[in-house]
Amino acid sequence: RAAAGAHRRPAEQPRGVAYVLHSTAMTDRLTQALGSLHTPPSVFLWLDNDEAGETASRRILDALTPIGATVGTMNHVYEGHKDLNDWLK
């Protein structure tokens, strides 16, 4: 785990689009935007390790799986912490 503030540049830059919600209240807007794409997206969720984060994960998974999207949850990376920011401290 890198120290807070440390930045590593990967050998190859990731390609694609990142959607930063800042709130699980934006879940519906995300699923609407991604549901309108012609190509099913690959989505990696970095949500909080709490009830709201789990509820949002389920809602996104339920909305995007039927359109062929690949959805993965990444909160196992910072298990034992509230969220990614807490883990990075």
Side-chain angles (χ1 to χ4, degrees):
R1 160 171 132 184
H7 300 284
R8 291 189 197 166
R9 174 170 243 153
E12 181 178 324
Q13 293 295 317
R15 298 170 198 235
V17 177
Y19 296 90
V20 180
L21 302 181
H22 295 292
S23 170
T24 56
M26 301 296 289
T27 301
D28 291 336
R29 292 180 106 183
L30 173 70
T31 56
Q32 288 172 355
L34 295 178
S36 67
L37 298 176
H38 296 291
T39 304
S42 293
V43 177
F44 299 94
L45 303 174
W46 297 77
L47 298 170
D48 290 358
N49 280 321
D50 61 11
E51 187 175 332
E54 289 186 25
T55 299
S57 292
R58 279 193 302 276
R59 287 173 58 199
I60 293 169
L61 185 68
D62 290 347
L64 297 181
T65 301
I67 65 164
T70 303
V71 181
T73 57
M74 303 303 294
N75 59 334
H76 63 276
V77 171
Y78 43 95
E79 186 176 343
H81 298 274
K82 181 188 180 309
D83 57 25
L84 183 61
N85 290 324
D86 185 43
W87 180 75
L88 290 171
K89 289 181 184 177

